[in-house]
Amino acid sequence: MNSDTLITRGRLTKSNSLDLPIEWKDIIDPDSVTVHLTQIRTSQDLIVYDYIFFENKIFVRSGLGPDTVIDCYYTVFADRKKEWDFIQTFK
């Protein structure tokens, strides 16, 4: 991890989507997004199944079926766009 890596973390409860910080929308490289999920209490077979860049959302589901209640901690890593570093240098 370097100084160009952004991190957000939290808990996802009774929902299948997590919102990334609004500030990230224009400054991250969408190909660099990495998600780590840690299930709480029971095995949930968690899967990241979609990342919608323009909505700044990551969607999670359980491989155990649609009736499984999701309860997990998440950590999301993303790298800044290289153009953003260039712009910041000259401001």
Side-chain angles (χ1 to χ4, degrees):
M1 185 169 16
N2 59 41
S3 62
D4 293 334
T5 302
L6 301 173
I7 302 169
T8 187
R9 61 185 179 178
R11 184 172 182 175
L12 185 61
T13 306
K14 299 178 183 173
S15 175
N16 73 331
S17 67
L18 58 99
D19 295 319
L20 297 177
I22 192 71
E23 301 84 17
W24 284 25
K25 189 169 184 176
D26 296 322
I27 65 171
I28 66 166
D29 174 5
D31 293 329
S32 72
V33 175
T34 304
V35 182
H36 178 80
L37 302 171
T38 304
Q39 55 203 8
I40 300 172
R41 288 189 203 76
T42 60
S43 176
Q44 300 166 50
D45 191 21
L46 299 174
I47 303 163
V48 173
Y49 75 92
D50 205 357
Y51 167 51
I52 301 180
F53 179 69
F54 62 88
E55 288 185 22
N56 225 25
K57 284 185 181 257
I58 294 174
F59 292 91
V60 176
R61 71 175 179 196
S62 171
L64 301 177
D67 296 334
T68 304
V69 177
I70 294 173
D71 189 11
C72 67
Y73 295 111
Y74 65 85
T75 306
V76 181
F77 302 89
D79 292 334
R80 291 179 192 266
K81 290 180 184 176
K82 297 303 175 198
E83 309 88 65
W84 182 257
D85 293 336
F86 180 77
I87 292 168
Q88 291 299 313
T89 302
F90 290 100
K91 280 194 174 186

